[in-house]
Structures are given as C-alpha cells and as structure tokens.
Amino acid sequence: MSAKKLNLKDKYRLLTRDLDWDFSYEDRKDAFPFEEFEGIKITDWDKWEDPFRLTMDSYWKYQAEKEKKLYAIYDAFSQNNGHLNVSDARYVNAIKIFLTAVSPGELAAHSGFAFTGRQMGGIGARIASQMQSIDELRHIQTQIHAMSHYNKFFDGFDEFSHMHDRVWYISVVKSFFDDARSAGPFEFMVSVGFSFEYVLTNLLFVPFMSGAAYNGDMATVTFGFSAQSDEARHMTLGLEIIKFLLEQHEDNVPIVQKWIDKWLWRGYRILTVVAMMMDYMLPQKVMSWKEAWELYFEQAGGALFKDLERYGIKMPDYTDLIKAEKDHLSHQAWWTFYTNSQATAFHTWIPSDEELDWLSEKYPETFDKYYRPRWELAKEMADKGERYYNEGLPQLCQTCQIPMIYTDVQNDPRDIVYRSTKYQGERFHFCSDQCQHIFEDEPEKYVHAWLPVHQIFQGNCGGPGGLEKVMDYYKLDVGNANMDYVGSPDEERWKNWKGVA
Amino acid sequence: MSKVLIAFQENDESRYIVQAIEQDNPDATVHFEPAMIRIENEGALTINKATVEEMMGCDWEVQSIHVNLLTLTGHIDEDDDYFTIHWNN
Amino acid sequence: MTIEIKTAKMDTVRNTFGHIARRFGDKPATRYQEATYDIAAQTNFHYKPLWDQDHELNDPTRTAIVMEDWYALKDPRQFYYGPYVQSRARMQENAESNFNFFDKRNLAAKLPDGIKENLIKFLIPLRHAEHTANLNNMYCTAYANYCTAVAQATLFEAMDRFGNAQYYSRIGLSLDGNTGDSLVEAKAEWMNNPIWQGLRAYCERTLTIDDWFETFIAQNIVLDTLLDNLYFEQYDVWLSEHGAGDILMLTEFMRERSKESHRWSDSLIKTVVNESDQNADQIKSWISTWRIRAQQALEPLATGLLSEDALAEAYAALAGRLKKIGLAD
C-alpha cells in the first residue's frame, strides 16, 4: 500500500489540530482562566485559520538558515570595523534610540506572547503566539548583537537595559508594552498583533531599516531584513486574530472596534519618535515622514479597512487629525529633544542649511512658517556659545507619556492641546482627546502609570536633589552621552577615525 | 480594487522567485530598491511552485519563502504548490 | 613564509554593556551573556495586570522559590536563540532523513504482527502528553519573565515538546499511510482507555498549578524522568527484542533531545536547591506530592506497556536523578 499524498494544509492539521482535548478530570476553566473576563465570545475555536502552516521542524530549519547568514554578517561587520562606513556619526544616534527604546520592547512582546501562548483556548492561536514569542526573543537578541559593536565605539548604548526602566522618553515605549501586557489575552493580541504588527509595523521597521541601508549601517539593515520575514508571520497572526474575533460573534465587534481605536492611537503616538528620526536624524534621507505615512498608512491601511467594513469595523475617527499632524509631528518632536538634550542618552543638533532646505521642500505648508525660525534662533544662540537647553521639565501626557508638545493642527498649530480630567480628587493631563478618552475608559488602570517627570519631582529618581541625581539614577553618562553632537566625544572620535581635522 | 504588495531581500534566490511572479502575474509591477525587490499587483498575486522550479532549475519548497520574504499585504493562502495574497475589495 | 592579514587596529571605548560589565567585569562578553543577562524589565512598571492584580508584570514573587540572583540559573548549554535553532535544525535534518528512510523502504509494512497496534495504543498517544509539556513550559516562560536566563530555556523546552508532539504524530502517519486513522485511534485511547486515564488526569492537573516552579517540578522533573525511562530505556529494549527496532530511528530525536535538555534542568534545580534550605525543602515537598500522584497515574500504563516491575525501575531512575541534583531522600 502506498501512502496517500498529504498536502500542506492537511498535514499541518493532522500534526497539530487534534493535540488538545476536552478535560474530564479538571475544569478546563481552571487551566484557562482568562478566556472570558474581557467579554469576548468564542463559539468555535476550530474556525481558526492557521495562515502560515509552519511545523516546528520547518521553523527550526528556516530560522537556523537565517541565523547563519545573519551572524556571518555580524562577524564580518565587527572584523572589518563596519561602523566606520556609516554616512556620519550623527546617524548612530538614531540606533541608540532603537536599542534603548525599541529592543527591550521586543522582550516585552515576547513575554506577552508567551502569556497568550499558554492562555488562549484554541491551539491554533496558541502555536502562532508561541512562535511569535520565540521570534521576539530572536529580535531582541539579534538587535543586541547588532548593536554590540557600536556600543564599543559610541556613547549612549551601554545602559540600554537600565534606562528602559527609568528614562523619561523611553517610558513612552515601555508604557505601551506594559499597557498591552497588563491587558487580557485578546486585547493583547489585538494591540500588538494587529495594531502594531499589522497596521503600523511598516512605519517602524521600514524607516529604521531603510535609514540604516541609506546610511551605511550594514549590521542594522541586515538585522532588519532578517527579521522582516518573521514580521510577515506576525502580520498574518494579527490579521487572523481580527478576522477570527469578528467572525465568532457579533458581540465582539464593538469590543474589537474599541481596541483598534485605542491601540492605533497609542501606536501612532510612539511613531512620533520615528517621524523625527526620519526627518532629522538621517544624514542620507530615505523619504520624509509625511511621505512614509502617505505610502504605508493612507494607501495600505485604506485597503485593509475596506476589507474589514464587512464586519462592521470602521477606520478610527481620528485619521483626519493624524493626516493634519503629519506636517508638524517630526518638527515638534525634534525641537523637544533638541531643547532637552541635556537629559537624553543620544546627541541632537541643529540641521544643516541643506537639511533645512530639504525640510522646506518636503513640508511646504508648515516648515518655513512655524519651524525654520526656531532653528535660526537656535543657531544664533549656539554661535554665541549659548546653545539652548531647557531648565525645567516638561509636562507629560498621562496616557502616552510624551511631553505635551502636540498642537491644535486643524485650527491653530501654535496652540498646545491641553486636556484634563479630574478623577478621585486628582487632576490628570492629556495631549489629545484620544489619550483623554483612553484614560477615561479605564481610569483605574492609567492612574498607576509611573510618569518619569512626576517621579523626578517626587524624589523617586535618585532624589531629592537636582538634575545630577537624576542623571545618576539614569546612569546617563553626563558630558559624553548627552547634549549636542557638536563637541561630543562621539564627534571627536569620528573625526579622528576619518582623518578629518 | 486594492493593491497587494510583496517584498523580498535582493539575492540570487529571490531573483528567480521574482521572475516566476512576473511570468504568472503579468500585470504586476516590480521595483528594485536598495537591497530589496518590491512587487505590487491589483487584487491578488500568486507564486506557483512549478514556475519557480522552472526558473531555478531545481526543487523549491514554497515554505522556504520565509528565508527571503521582507513584507507583504493582504490575506494569505498557502499550500504545497502555491502561495497567494489577496484583498477582498 | 607566513602570511598575515593585517586589519586596522582600533581601540574600543568600552568592552561591553554596563550591566554586563557590572556582572562579569570590564572585558569583552560572550554572545550568550549579552543576549541574556539583565535585559528583562525589573522595576517601575506602569500598570498592574488586569488578570493578576496581586503581582507586577514581571514578578519574582509569583513563586515560593527565592533566589538572591535568578541569573545564577545559567543554561550550561548557553542557548540563546541562534544556537538553539541551529542545534535543532541539525537534529531535525537527521530526523527527516530517518523518516524518509522509514517511509521510502516501507518499513511500516515490515513490522511484525501486532506492533503497529501496540504503537498506536502505547506510543502515539504520547503526543497529547507532549502537548501538555508544551503548555506547562510556556507557563514557566510567561511567569519567569523577570529572568531571561530561565524564561528563554523554558521557552526552548516548550517549543521542543511541541516538536515532539508533531514527531509522534508523524510516526502515526507513517504507520497509517497518511490517512490520519492512527491519530484518531490514539486519541480515542488517550481519552477512553483506562491505562491512559491516570496520566491524562495528571496532565490536566498540572495545567491548574499556580506556582510556575511547581509546574516545572511536576512536569520536567517528576513526570518526564519517569516517562523517559519507561519509553527511552525500557520500551526501546522491548521494541528491539520484538523486531521493531526500526521504530527507534523515529524516536531518536525525542530521546537525544531529552538527554541534552536534562543537562539544563539538572543544573537549574541543583543551583536552586543549593541556594537555601527553604528552597530545598520546598522542592522536596513538591516532589513528594507529585511523585505519589505520578505513581498512581502511571501504574496501569507501565504495566500495560511493559510489566508490573516497569514502574519500579522508572522510580529507581527518578531516585538516581534526584540524588544527582542534590535531592536525595
């Protein structure tokens, strides 16, 4: 008897689908206690479609192949002092932000997917989560290894782990993943799997990785490309969880809509830093933030939401606001970091004249009117030896934890948006209606946020005392890792290496 | 109709896959960018194992796409002999 | 004449990351070190888990075990992601080759009478036990998240066990000509045959444990040691003696992987036990509870699989392992 030929779908189903069983000796709810508290209704886990039917042995095989290729590049990179090939040492500050803010987020995502990988009731969703969990571990580890070489030659990388738990701008990313991980398993999958990994991923990865490619950073671009095929699997998990939940029960629709609205907003706010990175931190520009948003969200996102209309899902109602913000976002962000750079673990600088002209060209409606004058003033002051640094600390939004720098772009872009809510006798502040709404929906959750600036004022960051205590608490290498690129040890070393006076 | 997108790392193996895609999806547009090949098509795009093998001159597993894939959009359907992405609109 | 390729020497500004230098000294670090130590979030969490308001997101107090430094539980294999997948890729290549050999030469048809039925009744249902092992190790990964040295190792274990489950399923498909009938039968055995109910009940019970370290003990130390001995020592011999030695090719992966994994889990338990009397007492208490449960669970299975003496032999193996890791009776 010759064996029946099995196709991929059937083979995967036979190997995987039937492994779980209906419990007889314990209540299944004791083994899977978190399936119901979010109000999500699952009627039939068998309807889960496995998009990538990757068996474990295939996973090991293809991933090992990718690792071999990747580490061969890492070895070559360090053996040949690859860091000398970047366009300019200013560029390296972009990846300092990546290692301190994004990489630990990968580990947080790994942990969240380990949680859903255990707690989801359906085996298809569990296995996909588990593979994502191990992929995210891959990502933080390969990122650390990519940056390891840079750490040896540049400041601002060496305390990435310590800083992720403490530093003010990094808490923006940490709070995003803490928010996702503290949510229930279904919200977690929608937040990271769908909103982040599906809708917004191209706006995080492509800018950083293309930025690396355009600026001679072989280690990072190779990491990026190697990780991207993992990301394709993550995207499909994100899309599948959405489709599955929406098809399972009509009661799920409003819950999922709420999560989509919340998480696209929180994810979008994080992209503020990416916007500034693209427009201000890359000596060789890839495209403007505005262009990236138009390509990767307005076009690609449009197709997705059109498909989801059939379930009753709508595009969030703030997309017009985001459209209006795209002409302002990067400029407001870089200005904030420039003026607070005594407290950043990366350098900032005034854009060159060519760069100012590029910004004028890319942002014809807003740059010359609202932002170029600031840089002219900054340059004037710097030339006088009075390079400007803020002496106060910025007010942070309670939800997204970003300084309150966002302006009323649809009416008067010079007016800062302030929202506030009183809750149990305390006043909380927000950068936008959307952040306020997120808080008001779950105030008991968001009141616990560890806001860096509040904590500094409360003396919990090495204090009481002045900013020096805070810098110690951050392990921020004052005089080396912070302040302007001009005059920094990074700049001096770069000039020596390149034989430039 | 919405466009689907698929992108590969630019290397020897991917070039054969791209050739196969071009043959089986004649209206698809192919863009070469630094280290990346990006392909777009209206509505749907299909990669056929048989065509790729024809281009490569050797056996090729559909799942080995994982080694070279960068990103894609749309709903996925994969089996032993093909890999497709599509939108429903 | 010697040829030396000269590369430009550059003085580094620092040798490694701050947290690594504080731990190991100011010198270049290994990739395992940089990928593992002190990268997990420790403090200043923003929100309490909605699903567990009594603990932080990363929280060592989710277990009764106390360690001064959880990173003492270094994996002697030094697996981070890269070496792990590469190791398993090599092993799966062998396994693939073995399965192909078995199938191409139609060795299923050459098995002596009754062996196929024996395998479907006694071996293939292990796929369900492996599925439980996958879940239990994911549980450890989720809650040991404050220490990447532990969490990554339990994650690798979880994925391995899922791989095992799929390999047992493939053995079934090799036996039933890809119809899937053997898997249906094996599941029926798992669900209904009295010899399996003890183990099934044990598995379901482990999935309700609260303390993740207790889960680790119940699964990776007590149950696995007993099943490994029954299947990879005793049943292996039985298969060979009954003309079914070809099957050993198909379980090679599971056997070898288990041996290698024990290097890690032995080291982990030994370190935890040596840390304090409280840890040692707590682990002894868990072992004492679960070995009794395992005894009841496995009695019918061991007898049916082999003989009335089989379980005692497995318990001798467990005793040997416990002694090795500092938990002698």
Side-chain angles (χ1 to χ4, degrees):
Chain A
M1 181 193 70
S2 73
K4 189 174 109 162
K5 175 77 167 64
L6 277 178
N7 71 13
L8 189 72
K9 285 181 174 138
D10 289 337
K11 186 171 174 198
Y12 188 83
R13 192 180 35 83
L14 286 170
L15 291 185
T16 301
R17 273 317 187 96
D18 212 26
L19 290 172
D20 204 351
W21 67 89
D22 292 327
F23 286 13
S24 311
Y25 306 102
E26 303 290 332
D27 186 344
R28 212 174 143 92
K29 286 202 183 35
D30 291 335
F32 297 94
F34 304 128
E35 287 212 273
E36 288 171 7
F37 84 93
E38 296 174 271
I40 289 288
K41 299 190 169 106
I42 306 294
T43 55
D44 185 5
W45 271 110
D46 278 342
K47 290 283 191 304
W48 177 274
E49 291 274 339
D50 305 296
F52 277 107
R53 299 179 180 86
L54 211 50
T55 53
M56 216 46 239
D57 58 336
S58 296
Y59 181 91
W60 291 322
K61 175 169 141 183
Y62 294 124
Q63 296 300 104
E65 214 178 304
K66 283 152 69 171
E67 288 290 284
K68 272 206 200 88
K69 288 162 85 156
L70 180 60
Y71 280 87
I73 303 286
Y74 285 170
D75 285 341
F77 182 79
S78 58
Q79 284 155 8
N80 290 284
N81 291 312
H83 64 286
L84 297 178
N85 294 323
V86 301
S87 53
D88 182 75
R90 283 179 183 82
Y91 159 79
V92 181
N93 292 285
I95 56 177
K96 294 177 194 180
I97 298 178
F98 196 88
L99 184 66
T100 52
V102 177
S103 302
E106 305 270 19
L107 192 64
H110 138 80
S111 183
F113 279 105
F115 178 73
T116 59
R118 167 62 180 80
Q119 298 297 351
M120 281 279 165
I123 188 169
R126 285 202 298 270
I127 296 309
S129 293
Q130 292 182 16
M131 283 195 177
Q132 180 141 359
S133 176
I134 194 172
D135 284 343
E136 302 292 7
L137 179 76
R138 172 184 197 230
H139 292 177
I140 185 177
Q141 295 184 330
T142 49
Q143 283 160 25
I144 290 170
H145 290 149
M147 310 289 177
S148 175
H149 181 77
Y150 284 109
N151 173 52
K152 295 179 180 170
F153 292 98
F154 296 89
D155 297 320
F157 289 97
D158 61 329
E159 294 292 356
F160 74 88
S161 184
H162 184 85
M163 287 187 176
H164 193 79
D165 277 344
R166 293 164 178 80
V167 174
W168 58 281
Y169 53 94
I170 298 174
S171 80
V172 171
V173 179
K174 183 174 174 183
S175 72
F176 177 94
F177 284 102
D178 277 10
D179 191 348
R181 285 206 289 147
S182 57
F186 290 109
E187 184 176 355
F188 178 84
M189 302 263 295
V190 172
S191 70
V192 179
F194 179 69
S195 305
F196 203 75
E197 296 276 15
Y198 195 88
V199 186
L200 297 175
T201 187
N202 283 334
L203 287 152
L204 176 68
F205 255 88
V206 176
F208 269 111
M209 300 310 140
S210 297
Y214 278 61
N215 287 278
D217 177 2
M218 187 163 78
T220 304
V221 74
T222 313
F223 155 76
F225 282 165
S226 191
Q228 274 301 101
S229 48
D230 303 331
E231 296 300 341
R233 282 186 279 111
H234 302 173
M235 287 172 71
T236 57
L237 171 58
L239 189 58
E240 176 54 31
I241 189 72
I242 284 287
K243 289 192 301 192
F244 177 73
L245 292 180
L246 294 172
E247 284 170 5
Q248 278 294 298
H249 202 288
E250 60 187 6
D251 287 358
N252 295 342
V253 176
I255 300 175
V256 170
Q257 180 74 62
K258 186 176 81 167
W259 287 341
I260 289 177
D261 291 348
K262 168 181 168 183
W263 286 99
L264 280 186
W265 182 258
R266 281 218 73 173
Y268 164 68
R269 271 291 185 250
I270 289 188
L271 295 179
T272 302
V273 168
V274 178
M276 122 184 148
M277 191 271 301
M278 290 190 86
D279 283 348
Y280 285 90
M281 298 182 82
L282 301 180
Q284 295 298 324
K285 311 267 186 262
V286 177
M287 60 175 82
S288 71
W289 166 253
K290 180 171 161 158
E291 285 165 334
W293 185 259
E294 283 161 1
L295 179 61
Y296 292 109
F297 186 83
E298 286 171 13
Q299 285 177 37
L304 166 69
F305 277 96
K306 239 168 149 199
D307 256 30
L308 295 179
E309 265 167 24
R310 65 173 59 188
Y311 300 113
I313 291 293
K314 293 184 266 93
M315 253 304 208
D317 61 11
Y318 47 73
T319 39
D320 283 340
L321 171 62
I322 295 182
K323 248 192 176 145
E325 278 192 351
K326 72 187 173 191
D327 278 294
H328 297 270
L329 198 63
S330 62
H331 316 296
Q332 294 171 349
W334 185 245
W335 181 255
T336 304
F337 281 99
Y338 175 83
T339 54
N340 287 292
S341 196
Q342 75 284 23
T344 61
F346 59 91
H347 302 300
T348 57
W349 55 88
I350 298 170
S352 68
D353 290 341
E354 289 88 6
E355 287 174 328
L356 292 172
D357 289 344
W358 181 85
L359 290 163
S360 294
E361 184 205 316
K362 294 296 180 185
Y363 295 93
E365 260 120 77
T366 54
F367 186 74
D368 287 336
K369 186 169 178 189
Y370 300 108
Y371 303 107
R372 185 187 273 271
R374 300 188 196 187
W375 295 112
E376 285 165 357
L377 176 60
K379 189 161 196 312
E380 228 177 273
M381 294 178 73
D383 286 345
K384 272 193 289 189
E386 291 162 13
R387 199 277 198 202
Y388 180 70
Y389 293 107
N390 270 343
E391 291 193 17
L393 297 176
Q395 181 180 54
L396 305 182
C397 169
Q398 181 73 25
T399 302
C400 69
Q401 304 201 12
I402 295 175
M404 308 266 284
I405 59 169
Y406 300 97
T407 60
D408 187 7
V409 292
Q410 289 169 309
N411 297 305
D412 189 339
R414 296 165 304 171
D415 285 344
I416 298 223
V417 175
Y418 284 112
R419 299 287 181 268
S420 73
T421 299
K422 243 184 155 174
Y423 181 75
Q424 293 187 351
E426 240 185 291
R427 185 172 294 281
F428 297 91
H429 304 277
F430 311 97
C431 70
S432 55
D433 291 334
Q434 291 68 24
C435 279
Q436 179 178 40
H437 182 70
I438 289 171
F439 175 93
E440 288 179 346
D441 198 48
E442 293 178 280
E444 261 316 297
K445 177 168 180 176
Y446 292 95
V447 295
H448 291 286
W450 191 90
L451 291 189
V453 173
H454 289 197
Q455 296 294 326
I456 288 171
F457 284 136
Q458 287 174 33
N460 294 330
C461 297
L467 218 55
E468 327 81 58
K469 291 255 166 76
V470 180
M471 296 298 107
D472 277 345
Y473 177 75
Y474 286 174
K475 290 200 192 300
L476 205 157
D477 189 3
V478 173
N480 294 323
N482 63 346
M483 301 199 298
D484 205 295
Y485 173 74
V486 174
S488 69
D490 270 9
E491 185 197 34
E492 194 185 323
R493 285 188 287 255
W494 182 255
K495 286 181 167 168
N496 283 338
W497 298 329
K498 295 303 229 178
V500 176
Chain B
M1 235 199 331
S2 296
K3 278 194 179 165
V4 290
L5 175 151
I6 192 165
F8 295 98
Q9 288 188 47
E10 204 203 339
N11 61 36
D12 212 40
E13 198 174 87
S14 296
R15 273 179 231 123
Y16 292 115
I17 300 172
V18 171
Q19 277 173 26
I21 292 174
E22 284 180 297
Q23 178 165 298
D24 292 341
N25 305 269
D27 293 329
T29 54
V30 178
H31 306 269
F32 285 85
E33 282 162 29
M36 167 162 92
I37 311 174
R38 184 164 53 88
I39 306 151
E40 286 171 12
N41 206 25
E42 290 280 334
L45 185 146
T46 301
I47 305 172
N48 289 306
K49 175 176 150 103
T51 317
V52 175
E53 289 183 340
E54 199 187 300
M55 299 295 173
M56 272 186 185
C58 62
D59 289 342
W60 181 74
E61 293 301 320
V62 170
Q63 288 208 313
S64 70
I65 215 173
H66 285 288
V67 180
N68 297 313
L69 181 62
L70 288 183
T71 190
L72 48 70
T73 62
H75 307 279
I76 294 175
D77 185 18
E78 67 157 359
D79 209 329
D80 288 307
D81 300 322
Y82 64 84
F83 183 95
T84 65
I85 44 177
H86 73 279
W87 287 119
N88 291 321
N89 67 78
Chain C
M1 183 179 85
T2 57
I3 300 175
E4 256 179 47
I5 300 175
K6 292 220 186 294
T7 50
K9 180 165 168 29
M10 294 200 61
D11 288 327
T12 57
V13 177
R14 62 184 62 76
N15 286 307
T16 181
F17 298 105
H19 48 278
I20 301 294
R22 282 189 286 279
R23 207 179 250 287
F24 298 111
D26 186 12
K27 54 190 194 322
T30 65
R31 282 203 166 122
Y32 176 74
Q33 287 171 338
E34 291 195 339
T36 305
Y37 286 85
D38 304 312
I39 58 173
Q42 301 289 324
T43 184
N44 301 334
F45 296 102
H46 293 282
Y47 320 105
K48 293 269 193 219
L50 294 181
W51 35 270
D52 179 7
Q53 307 255 359
D54 295 331
H55 294 98
E56 300 287 0
L57 283 166
N58 296 10
D59 197 327
T61 69
R62 283 205 175 92
T63 174
I65 298 295
V66 176
M67 295 294 290
E68 172 76 31
D69 175 16
W70 278 89
Y71 284 97
L73 304 183
K74 163 184 163 161
D75 180 351
R77 305 166 301 179
Q78 299 200 66
F79 277 170
Y80 57 95
Y81 183 93
Y84 166 69
V85 293
Q86 287 179 71
S87 155
R88 296 306 182 252
R90 281 191 294 272
M91 290 168 68
Q92 75 81 224
E93 217 180 301
N94 288 340
E96 200 60 38
S97 162
N98 289 349
F99 273 88
N100 285 341
F101 187 92
F102 189 92
D103 291 339
K104 275 207 182 90
R105 279 160 182 66
N106 204 6
L107 296 183
K110 300 189 173 97
L111 292 170
D113 285 342
I115 290 296
K116 187 171 131 182
E117 290 70 28
N118 180 285
L119 293 167
I120 291 173
K121 186 170 171 182
F122 286 112
L123 185 72
I124 312 303
L126 282 182
R127 64 199 285 259
H128 302 290
E130 289 300 299
H131 173 260
T132 302
N134 163 266
L135 288 178
N136 283 333
N137 280 286
M138 283 314 296
Y139 190 77
C140 296
T141 304
Y143 294 127
N145 56 2
Y146 52 89
C147 177
T148 307
V150 178
Q152 75 179 338
T154 54
L155 177 59
F156 299 151
E157 183 72 17
M159 306 314 281
D160 276 354
R161 306 308 286 268
F162 182 63
N164 282 358
Q166 291 185 324
Y167 277 130
Y168 284 121
S169 309
R170 279 180 71 177
I171 295 176
L173 294 178
S174 288
L175 296 176
D176 67 20
N178 284 343
T179 59
D181 291 343
S182 69
L183 305 180
V184 173
E185 279 178 60
K187 185 153 190 191
E189 296 286 327
W190 174 258
M191 293 303 287
N192 304 317
N193 191 325
I195 56 165
W196 283 107
Q197 299 318 299
L199 179 56
R200 177 156 83 88
Y202 185 103
C203 286
E204 292 180 16
R205 193 162 190 178
T206 58
L207 292 168
T208 66
I209 298 171
D210 185 57
D211 187 319
W212 66 267
F213 209 99
E214 184 179 355
T215 306
F216 190 104
I217 295 293
Q219 176 70 62
N220 295 342
I221 303 299
V222 177
L223 183 64
D224 287 347
T225 312
L226 295 168
L227 285 178
D228 283 359
N229 177 272
L230 286 173
Y231 279 90
F232 300 145
E233 305 286 341
Q234 300 187 56
Y235 188 57
D236 271 9
V237 171
W238 187 92
L239 285 171
S240 298
E241 285 172 353
H242 289 79
D246 288 341
I247 294 297
L248 302 189
M249 280 198 307
L250 306 183
T251 56
E252 175 81 356
F253 177 93
M254 293 75 117
R255 189 180 315 111
E256 289 308 307
R257 184 221 78 84
S258 181
K259 240 191 271 170
E260 178 234 76
S261 171
H262 284 200
R263 281 180 51 215
W264 156 67
S265 46
D266 282 355
S267 166
L268 188 149
I269 298 296
K270 207 166 170 184
T271 311
V272 172
V273 163
N274 286 338
E275 172 93 350
S276 69
D277 289 338
Q278 293 95 304
N279 284 352
D281 289 342
Q282 176 64 82
I283 293 181
K284 282 180 182 163
S285 163
W286 284 329
I287 287 179
S288 159
T289 303
W290 288 95
R291 67 193 290 179
I292 294 169
R293 289 181 182 152
Q295 176 101 30
Q296 292 161 347
L298 294 176
E299 191 89 67
L301 177 62
T303 310
L305 180 73
L306 295 153
S307 75
E308 275 174 11
D309 303 321
L311 194 56
E313 204 179 305
Y315 268 85
L318 178 59
R321 185 178 186 195
L322 293 176
K323 184 160 178 218
K324 197 168 93 166
I325 59 183
L327 291 165
D329 284 335

